Amino acid sequence: EADDRIDEVFVSTNERFAGEFETYLAETAFEKPTLSVEDTTDESEKFGVVGALAQLVDREGIDEDLVVVAGDNLISFDIAEFVDFFADAGEPALAAYDVGSREKAKSYGLVELEGDRVVDFQEKPDDPKSTLVSIACYAFPAERLEDLSTYLEAGENPDEPGWFIQWLQQRRTVRAFTFDGAWFDIGTPESYLDAIEWSLDGGTVVHEDATVTDSQLGETVHVMADATVEDATLERAVVFPEATVRNAEIRGSIIDRETTIENFDLSGALIGAHTSITDGGQF
């Protein structure tokens, strides 16, 4: 929002989630974002990430340099730093991060560099040679946007952006912006809780409008507004607004809004909104 080089911001989603994004954007002070909605509601109709990006470019008539950030990224660097790097490079660019584990690297696009140039890119390798991976933060010059259509028309994989980057790197010069600090792919409950732990620095936050009585709150606990926690033990857990946790032990779990957990112990669970579990036992 604060970067004058960014003229427009498109929040791309499908029809299933459009209403939630409309509400969120209406309640913020942001002026640049425009909600751009894919014409899909069902999982079977999805275009895949690359297909959706190509459709966004076509739908919105984008003909300028484009920065793309996946919505499940939590990053510690300022996007302006990445834009600076891209502006200097003048070529397709990606952000790369050392995940510090070859096992983790198997789940991402592996990046091999000479200086800041990407000389090899392998999407989800079985035997990664290093731990430097692409984090789904990209920038494309205006004249390279047509590569999206060329890639798709050739029948290449439309689902994962890493396959497009691998294809692109074999045909164009691609630069890599490397950074230290923190990065989380919050697409799973476990990684979401890792991000919460980093954000809270292991601490605990209880909203002033929440009610917590006769309970023990350990490390990395976030109890949101209008939630109720009674006679419970919570450790590494998030309790969303208007949820109720009573006479329960909740560890490593996410309790969504307007949910009731009573006389029930949970560990490593993700409980969806408007759920009621009151039978007693463990899960």
Side-chain angles (χ1 to χ4, degrees):
E1 183 75 13
D3 195 322
D4 292 338
R5 295 169 296 180
I6 305 296
D7 298 320
E8 295 180 286
V9 175
F10 296 104
V11 179
S12 182
T13 186
N14 59 33
E15 291 182 350
R16 179 180 177 186
F17 300 106
E20 294 179 46
F21 281 104
E22 286 174 354
T23 299
Y24 171 75
L25 290 175
E27 293 174 350
T28 72
F30 297 132
E31 296 180 357
K32 291 182 181 178
T34 296
L35 186 64
S36 187
V37 183
E38 302 169 14
D39 186 22
T40 59
T41 55
D42 187 79
E43 190 76 16
S44 63
E45 299 175 339
K46 290 178 67 174
F47 299 102
V49 176
V50 183
L53 181 57
Q55 194 202 64
L56 171 68
V57 169
D58 182 63
R59 184 171 63 244
E60 301 295 347
I62 298 172
D63 58 3
E64 299 178 88
D65 294 351
L66 181 64
V67 174
V68 180
V69 184
D72 55 5
N73 271 333
L74 190 157
I75 51 181
S76 61
F77 65 85
D78 190 326
I79 291 295
E81 298 175 46
F82 181 63
V83 176
D84 289 341
F85 176 86
F86 169 56
D88 290 340
E91 294 170 317
L94 58 82
Y97 183 76
D98 189 341
V99 294
S101 162
R102 293 182 189 272
E103 189 60 34
K104 287 184 178 179
K106 292 180 181 180
S107 300
Y108 302 103
L110 195 70
V111 180
E112 183 178 340
L113 303 180
E114 288 183 0
D116 65 6
R117 182 178 179 181
V118 180
V119 294
D120 192 28
F121 188 100
Q122 298 179 359
E123 177 66 3
K124 295 182 172 62
D126 293 330
D127 185 21
K129 300 175 183 177
S130 72
T131 56
L132 186 66
V133 305
S134 172
I135 70 160
C137 176
Y138 312 110
F140 304 105
E143 62 271 20
R144 295 275 62 89
L145 295 181
E146 62 185 21
D147 287 337
L148 290 164
S149 297
T150 302
Y151 171 86
L152 293 169
E153 289 167 2
E156 301 289 348
N157 188 323
D159 292 326
E160 297 288 346
W163 291 113
F164 172 64
I165 298 299
Q166 180 171 298
W167 177 90
L168 187 67
Q169 180 269 324
Q170 294 169 356
R171 292 160 175 80
R172 315 285 187 199
T173 297
V174 177
R175 303 290 179 181
F177 170 83
T178 56
F179 66 98
D180 297 320
W183 169 67
F184 298 94
D185 170 2
I186 59 173
T188 67
E190 182 63 25
S191 58
Y192 177 81
L193 287 171
D194 287 342
I196 295 294
E197 183 172 9
W198 171 78
S199 180
L200 298 181
D201 195 21
T204 291
V205 172
V206 177
H207 193 279
E208 61 181 7
D209 293 331
T211 301
V212 178
T213 57
D214 300 323
S215 298
Q216 295 182 354
L217 305 185
E219 294 185 348
T220 311
V221 173
H222 187 187
V223 181
M224 299 187 190
D226 301 315
T228 300
V229 177
E230 298 178 356
D231 299 313
T233 299
L234 273 61
E235 183 89 27
R236 190 173 158 83
V238 180
V239 181
F240 275 74
E242 300 179 59
T244 299
V245 177
R246 185 177 291 116
N247 190 25
E249 289 191 12
I250 309 295
R251 302 182 187 278
S253 298
I254 302 166
I255 312 300
D256 207 344
R257 61 176 59 247
E258 298 181 21
T259 290
T260 298
I261 307 295
E262 189 170 3
N263 302 319
F264 207 97
D265 296 340
L266 297 174
S267 179
L270 171 60
I271 307 300
H274 315 293
T275 300
S276 180
I277 302 178
T278 60
D279 291 338
Q282 294 184 343
F283 178 68

